[in-house]
Amino acid sequence: MTLLSVREASKHFGALRAVNEVSFDLEPGEICGLVGPNGSGKTTLVNVITGVLSPTGGSVGIAGVESSQLRSHAIARLGVSRTFQLIRLLRFSSVRENVRMGLLPVPSKLPLRSWVQPAALGADRRRRSALVDEAIERLDLEHVSSRLVRELPFGLERRVELARALVSKPQLLILDEPAAGVTAADMRDLNRIIQEESSRGCGVLLVDHNLRFVLDTCPRLVVMNFGQLIYDGTSAAAVDEPRVREAYVGT
Amino acid sequence: MAGFTPTAIELILLNAVGVFSVYIVLSGGLFAFAFVVFMGIGAYAAAILASHGHSSMLVQALTGIGIAAVSAMLLFLMVARLRGIYLGIVTVGLTAIFGALINNFPHLTGGPLGLPGVSLNVHLPALIAAVGFLCVVFAAIQHSKLGRRVKLLRTDPLVAGTLGVNVRLLSGGLFVASSVVAAFAGCLQAHYLGFVSPDSFNFTTLILFLEMAVIGGVSHWAGPIVGALVVTMIPQWLQSFQILSPVVSGAILLLTILFLPEGIVGGVLVLGRSAVIALRGEPRNGGVGTRTETR
């Protein structure tokens, strides 16, 4: 089944057509780059997909569920995780506490009667705790897990946000500029994690304007300019596409 | 310590119950200041029922809480779209409207003179029990999944939504829960003082309770108690310099906002944490590991 299906989605702010009749699909396990110059509507499109903004027109489907009228919390519960262009963490909370927030969309699946069974509650708590440990370990954050986020350097904050997005084992992961301002070593780790998520069957939509990084990471590329989709195809062919060159380099 | 007479302690606890209602909305980042209205509803429900011969405190409390909860729900349906300062303005306006209403329906509310005749049956043990109960409840909530949702709602509603928090439902829940606690506080106050008067439910009351909530802090369940303690005790401590007491209150509020934005309790916890790190001899930002990069 198609994981993400965007059909002629539009988001207009008055006369400004931030996203204009964009259509594309994403399959499970697929890694797709979403690129475009500043102001081309990438983040608005991400906000429409994740329910932060409701579309002015068109439809969005996630794993077969029509989601364009759902609010963001309902979309999160469908298994959609995202990171933000400007890091949004709880700065006065510990790294571990922040990562644990990522489990909020995951229902505990406990039958009601287990509320009086300490054993079942304990098992559930241990299972969640193990998930948090796993995410922290995957992003090499063990040594800072009890630190407050505000005490961390920028590169580590990005890792914490990624751990928070991964801890729920999403089926669709949307990364908004994850490579902005991070080191080459961090980018290699990011690339590795994206590939791992993909082989687990998670669809990844990677928004960035670092074209080099996107080309290295994503076999497929979707390019936007002035709110419209101007290219959808392989990354390799994208650089030779005149419209993409024009949007990026100018005429 | 000087000044902690039994009456002062009773007053602190009485105020603390009210501050919990402010704490509930502020802990979710909602600038909803209608708590004075709901306190008034709780107090006047008790006094009006008492004047009609219904002397059971339980009946009075449940009536007040019921009316407050239902009106809070209806009110929230109307103001649910408002955020931040706009919600604040509307709810402050409601406080003014409520004051005008109770002053102008004297056959029901006694008007500006207030209503006497509420039985004087709330004393120290009842107040300790009430505050203790609220502490247990909010301490448990703070460390639960619900507490984490509330914290996320306060810090960043947008992220809260993308992490599965139903922002509208949780905001509404906090609003109604706050009205329930406020009505309970109002009922306790009526039974502690033996009468109700419009002067207890005006803009000054709003500012006083808001001050207590902010000074104590809304990031920890102990905040309301510390806030109630400090603000209630300032006039007691400054008995010989009464004229200074509003100045000192204002200064403490200002210093809290400037230097302890999480309130006294939240601030002490953060400072304590830094002290522990310093005592262990760890550098504040070093030890963060091999992957330290600069911004």
Side-chain angles (χ1 to χ4, degrees):
Chain A
M1 196 193 342
T2 305
L3 175 59
L4 170 69
S5 153
V6 181
R7 285 280 152 271
E8 293 177 354
S10 298
K11 180 70 194 178
H12 298 173
F13 298 99
L16 175 71
R17 296 174 173 189
V19 173
N20 201 9
E21 300 190 344
V22 169
S23 302
F24 71 98
D25 287 334
L26 192 71
E27 302 298 327
E30 196 174 8
I31 305 172
C32 177
L34 172 59
V35 298
N38 278 329
S40 57
K42 305 183 295 286
T43 297
T44 308
L45 180 59
V46 166
N47 283 338
V48 165
I49 294 171
T50 54
V52 172
L53 296 171
S54 58
T56 331
S59 71
V60 180
I62 291 161
V65 180
E66 165 61 36
S67 68
S68 55
Q69 298 309 316
L70 297 179
R71 284 190 285 138
S72 55
H73 67 93
I75 291 176
R77 289 174 198 172
L78 290 173
V80 179
S81 275
R82 71 175 286 190
T83 64
F84 293 86
Q85 191 171 1
L86 300 169
I87 297 171
R88 303 182 86 138
L89 293 164
L90 304 190
R91 302 188 56 77
F92 284 89
S93 297
S94 71
V95 168
R96 199 185 158 78
E97 181 73 9
N98 269 281
V99 175
R100 191 149 70 153
M101 296 277 185
L103 281 177
L104 283 176
V106 184
S108 44
K109 284 191 204 125
L110 283 177
L112 207 56
R113 63 173 188 282
S114 66
W115 288 102
V116 288
Q117 294 172 333
L121 281 178
D124 185 58
R125 198 175 308 127
R126 276 192 297 279
R127 190 178 59 84
R128 287 172 171 266
S129 185
L131 284 172
V132 174
D133 287 338
E134 186 194 321
I136 286 178
E137 206 171 302
R138 240 177 119 188
L139 284 143
D140 290 325
L141 290 166
E142 300 102 316
H143 58 301
V144 289
S145 66
S146 60
R147 283 303 178 94
L148 300 187
V149 166
R150 64 171 197 153
E151 299 168 350
L152 301 186
F154 181 75
L156 286 181
E157 289 185 15
R158 280 249 181 260
R159 283 172 178 266
V160 177
E161 210 187 27
L162 193 57
R164 183 177 72 183
L166 293 177
V167 68
S168 58
K169 301 213 185 293
Q171 55 170 336
L172 173 59
L173 178 65
I174 303 179
L175 303 170
D176 199 352
E177 309 244 354
V182 306
T183 59
D186 276 349
M187 274 197 222
R188 275 194 298 278
D189 282 357
L190 183 59
N191 191 325
R192 171 180 57 82
I193 281 165
I194 290 173
Q195 306 302 336
E196 284 169 10
E197 286 300 298
S198 158
S199 53
R200 184 173 68 74
C202 172
V204 182
L205 187 63
L206 174 65
V207 184
D208 219 303
H209 49 231
N210 180 341
L211 209 49
R212 186 78 267 147
F213 174 67
V214 177
L215 291 176
D216 287 348
T217 312
C218 312
R220 179 180 160 206
L221 210 57
V222 167
V223 185
M224 284 182 81
N225 199 16
F226 296 114
Q228 277 170 319
L229 207 71
I230 58 168
Y231 178 82
D232 182 355
T234 64
S235 299
V239 279
D240 297 325
E241 173 76 24
R243 293 219 287 170
V244 176
R245 295 181 77 97
E246 191 184 314
Y248 257 88
V249 191
T251 43
Chain B
M1 194 163 183
F4 282 106
T5 59
T7 317
I9 293 172
E10 283 169 355
L11 217 52
I12 292 169
L13 294 172
L14 191 61
N15 284 337
V17 177
V19 183
F20 267 109
S21 75
V22 192
Y23 163 85
I24 295 172
V25 274
L26 288 187
S27 69
L30 299 172
F31 292 155
F33 305 139
F35 49 87
V36 175
V37 176
F38 299 121
M39 282 177 201
I41 289 176
Y44 272 91
I48 292 170
L49 283 177
S51 70
H52 287 78
H54 301 280
S55 58
S56 156
M57 188 180 169
L58 185 67
V59 172
Q60 293 170 4
L62 291 180
T63 309
I65 288 172
I67 296 174
V70 171
S71 40
M73 268 181 236
L74 295 175
L75 185 60
F76 187 78
L77 292 179
M78 288 187 275
V79 301
R81 290 177 163 275
L82 299 180
R83 283 277 164 276
I85 195 72
Y86 301 101
L87 182 58
I89 292 169
V90 168
T91 47
V92 168
L94 283 170
T95 308
I97 294 172
F98 182 75
L101 284 178
I102 50 180
N103 270 311
N104 289 295
F105 286 93
H107 55 284
L108 187 65
T109 63
L113 297 175
L115 268 184
V118 191
S119 53
L120 275 169
N121 53 6
V122 165
H123 303 291
L124 196 56
L127 290 169
I128 292 176
V131 172
F133 172 73
L134 289 171
C135 283
V136 171
V137 169
F138 286 104
I141 288 177
Q142 185 173 321
H143 296 106
S144 72
K145 214 168 162 178
L146 177 61
R148 236 168 274 145
R149 292 202 162 106
V150 171
K151 186 177 186 179
L152 206 49
L153 180 65
R154 168 176 77 238
T155 323
D156 196 335
L158 193 154
V159 171
T162 60
L163 289 177
V165 178
N166 188 339
V167 171
R168 218 175 290 167
L169 187 67
L170 185 58
S171 305
L174 291 175
F175 195 71
V176 174
S178 160
S179 78
V180 166
V181 175
F184 176 59
C187 181
L188 282 181
Q189 194 199 18
H191 281 270
Y192 178 76
L193 298 173
F195 70 97
V196 295
S197 124
D199 295 341
S200 315
F201 308 105
N202 55 21
F203 187 67
T204 315
T205 322
L206 190 157
I207 295 296
L208 188 71
F209 277 92
L210 200 54
E211 187 186 351
M212 293 192 247
V214 170
I215 288 180
V218 295
S219 59
H220 194 278
W221 58 267
I225 296 165
V226 173
L229 189 147
V230 171
V231 176
T232 313
M233 289 311 286
I234 289 170
Q236 313 273 340
W237 288 330
L238 294 173
Q239 225 147 29
S240 10
F241 313 94
Q242 269 312 333
I243 198 160
L244 278 183
S245 131
V247 179
V248 173
S249 291
I252 291 180
L253 181 61
L254 202 62
L255 292 173
T256 311
I257 293 171
L258 285 176
F259 299 110
L260 301 170
E262 302 242 310
I264 291 180
V265 176
V268 166
L269 289 178
V270 170
L271 290 178
R273 206 182 159 281
S274 309
V276 168
I277 291 175
L279 283 177
R280 282 199 204 128
E282 295 172 24
R284 247 183 86 73
N285 205 7
V288 151
T290 49
R291 294 188 170 274
T292 349
E293 291 103 13
T294 44
R295 203 178 270 269

